[in-house]
């Protein structure tokens, strides 16, 4: 048995990047501390209100809901609502939606399900069945963000929390870098939220994926039956994931270093890196006359989204 470096109880994890063996209690403490520090940096909890949490039924967002529920249990002025999205992916989504509802109900957090079919008139399965030039994930991701933002705004939420972890964040930053589009990160995270945009927060962004998974398992939040979407893999993201994991294994701390580097780049973004306006079709915030979601929907209906033969 390897003992915890803080209390000598049996360790459940070795954090190579910190050099620490931690028992279950000290591991939880360390993870929650990282979440608290991240929340403090967002500086949005000075006043109370409603926090919408996007819950998918997977380990990350389930752990997020659990942690937020516990952190805010004494804040009577902060309410949580779980937002679930039914993208319409047969054989996959039913099961994860069920898991998401179970977690929300167990934590006594009210939940609401938003559906692609009802909001947009199209499902991800229908998009995937078309021979589109772009992967279904492109449409699915853009549509999901758009309907989550709309619902959170209409409910008057002060923030929209998502379960992105350190690995997700580092992969996204790296992907944009490898595609030669670091400016995209500026657009994704404007200094001030655009009109109509509910501030997005990622409380788990400093917690490595394997630690979120361990937390979820040890708190009974990850029944392990969620499977994966038939539309993965997103090839380049998987390659980047592999590359970063290799680097982390050889040079512990690489993920935090990449994150820190990109945070420094983000600090350099100009005050007005993004001109806000509202989409002329749907009223959602955008940098153009027509938002990306409406443009993709138009491409689909106008037949312009398809591969040229
Ligand atoms: Fe949507 Fe792609 Fe995620 Fe599947 S993997 S849910 S298609 S974004
Ligand atoms: Zn629009």
């Amino acid at each position: 048995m390897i003992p915890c470096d803080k209390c000598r109880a049996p360790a459940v994890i070795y954090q190579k990047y910190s050099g620490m063996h931690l028992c279950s209690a000290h591991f939880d403490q360390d993870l929650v501390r990282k979440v608290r520090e991240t929340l403090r940096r967002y500086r949005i909890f000075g006043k109370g209100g409603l926090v919408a949490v996007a819950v998918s039924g997977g380990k990350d967002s389930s752990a997020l809901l659990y942690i937020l529920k516990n952190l805010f249990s004494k804040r009577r002025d902060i309410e949580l609502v779980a937002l679930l999205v039914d993208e319409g992916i047969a054989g996959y989504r039913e099961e994860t939606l069920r898991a998401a509802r179970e977690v929300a109900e167990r934590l006594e957090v009210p939940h609401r399900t938003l559906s692609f079919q009802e909001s947009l008139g199209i499902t991800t399965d229908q998009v995937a069945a078309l021979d589109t030039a772009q992967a279904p994930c492109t449409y699915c991701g853009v549509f999901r963000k758009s309907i989550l933002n709309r619902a959170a705004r209409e409910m008057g939420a002060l923030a929209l929390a998502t379960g992105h972890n350190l690995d997700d964040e580092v992969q996204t930053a790296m992907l944009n870098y490898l595609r030669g589009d670091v400016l995209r990160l500026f657009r994704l995270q404007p200094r001030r939220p655009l009109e109509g945009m509910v501030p997005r927060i990622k409380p788990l962004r400093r917690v490595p994926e394997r630690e979120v998974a361990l937390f979820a398992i040890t708190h009974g939040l990850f029944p392990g039956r969620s499977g994966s979407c038939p539309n993965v893999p997103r090839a380049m993201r998987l390659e980047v994931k592999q590359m970063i994991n290799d680097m982390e294994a050889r040079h512990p701390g690489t993920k935090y270093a990449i994150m820190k580097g990109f945070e420094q780049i983000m600090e350099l973004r100009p005050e007005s890196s993004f001109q806000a306006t509202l989409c002329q079709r749907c009223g959602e915030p955008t940098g153009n006359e027509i938002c990306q979601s409406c443009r993709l929907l138009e491409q689909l209906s106008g037949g312009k989204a398809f591969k040229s033969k």
Side-chain angles (χ1 to χ4, degrees), residues 85-149:
V85 180
D86 181 359
E87 299 93 345
I89 306 171
Y92 160 68
R93 214 60 183 109
E94 302 88 347
E95 196 62 30
T96 50
L97 280 173
R98 199 170 310 134
R101 286 187 195 112
E102 262 173 40
V103 170
E105 280 160 18
R106 176 181 143 194
L107 296 170
E108 296 177 2
V109 174
H111 58 82
R112 186 176 148 198
T113 304
L114 316 166
S115 126
F116 274 22
Q117 180 66 61
E118 277 168 32
S119 309
L120 308 166
I122 192 161
T123 64
T124 293
D125 274 349
Q126 287 166 342
V127 174
L130 301 168
D131 198 16
T132 51
Q134 300 185 74
C137 294
T138 303
Y139 299 86
C140 187
V142 169
F143 295 160
R144 188 189 306 112
K145 267 192 196 145
S146 172
I147 69 172
L148 277 169
N149 184 65

Side-chain angles (χ1 to χ4, degrees), residues 279 281-282 291 294:
C279 171
R281 300 258 159 83
C282 70
C291 75
C294 286

Side-chain angles (χ1 to χ4, degrees), residues 10-297:
V12 294
I13 188 166
Y14 174 56
Q15 291 175 333
K16 238 177 166 182
Y17 58 86
S18 71
M20 300 282 278
H21 290 93
L22 296 175
C23 68
S24 175
H26 281 109
F27 164 66
D28 280 11
Q29 226 176 59
D30 181 66
L31 189 148
V32 172
R33 175 185 58 81
K34 285 172 180 148
V35 174
R36 263 183 210 281
E37 283 172 8
T38 305
L39 287 174
R40 216 169 286 139
R41 286 185 72 176
Y42 284 120
R43 286 198 221 120
I44 53 166
F45 296 112
K47 50 183 187 316
L50 181 71
V51 177
V53 186
V55 179
S56 68
K59 62 183 181 353
D60 301 291
S61 55
S62 300
L64 174 65
L65 194 65
Y66 181 96
I67 294 165
L68 293 182
K69 173 74 185 184
N70 282 289
L71 273 179
F72 295 140
S73 63
K74 293 204 178 72
R75 289 275 310 254
R76 292 191 177 274
D77 57 337
I78 291 189
E79 274 179 70
L80 298 176
V81 61
L83 293 182
L84 285 53
V85 180
D86 181 359
E87 299 93 345
I89 306 171
Y92 160 68
R93 214 60 183 109
E94 302 88 347
E95 196 62 30
T96 50
L97 280 173
R98 199 170 310 134
R101 286 187 195 112
E102 262 173 40
V103 170
E105 280 160 18
R106 176 181 143 194
L107 296 170
E108 296 177 2
V109 174
H111 58 82
R112 186 176 148 198
T113 304
L114 316 166
S115 126
F116 274 22
Q117 180 66 61
E118 277 168 32
S119 309
L120 308 166
I122 192 161
T123 64
T124 293
D125 274 349
Q126 287 166 342
V127 174
L130 301 168
D131 198 16
T132 51
Q134 300 185 74
C137 294
T138 303
Y139 299 86
C140 187
V142 169
F143 295 160
R144 188 189 306 112
K145 267 192 196 145
S146 172
I147 69 172
L148 277 169
N149 184 65
R150 176 184 291 271
R153 189 185 58 237
E154 287 173 356
M155 295 169 121
L158 75 125
L160 171 61
T162 59
H164 294 90
N165 58 46
L166 174 69
D167 294 55
D168 297 325
E169 286 289 273
V170 170
Q171 285 159 24
T172 301
M174 216 39 171
L175 268 168
N176 285 301
Y177 184 73
L178 292 172
R179 286 177 179 143
D181 194 6
V182 175
L183 293 182
R184 183 154 184 272
L185 293 172
F186 289 0
R187 293 196 295 276
L188 291 177
Q189 291 176 44
R191 266 195 198 276
R192 260 172 262 143
L194 313 180
E195 184 194 347
M197 173 90 82
V198 178
R200 290 189 200 136
I201 61 170
K202 299 173 184 173
L204 299 178
R205 68 192 297 270
R206 290 189 54 225
V207 184
E209 184 174 281
R210 74 188 268 262
E211 297 190 21
V212 180
L214 178 61
F215 185 93
I217 290 165
T218 52
H219 290 82
L221 295 166
F222 189 36
R225 56 176 183 192
S226 44
S228 59
C229 174
N231 299 315
V232 258
R234 289 161 282 181
M236 192 154 173
R237 183 173 280 268
L238 284 181
E239 277 178 53
V240 167
K241 179 178 182 162
Q242 191 61 49
M243 176 183 83
I244 296 171
N245 282 344
D246 288 350
M247 290 290 288
E248 178 71 31
R250 275 180 281 131
H251 309 283
T254 295
K255 289 177 189 174
Y256 282 114
I258 297 174
M259 167 99 118
K260 199 166 150 211
F262 275 95
E263 278 175 353
Q264 286 168 1
I265 293 176
M266 291 305 286
E267 281 306 308
L268 300 175
R269 69 197 188 280
E271 198 56 44
S272 57
S273 57
F274 199 66
Q275 275 302 321
T277 144
L278 296 181
C279 171
Q280 292 178 358
R281 300 258 159 83
C282 70
E284 283 299 293
T286 172
N288 303 297
E289 286 176 4
I290 309 292
C291 75
Q292 208 191 351
S293 175
C294 286
R295 267 186 283 151
L296 290 175
L297 279 172

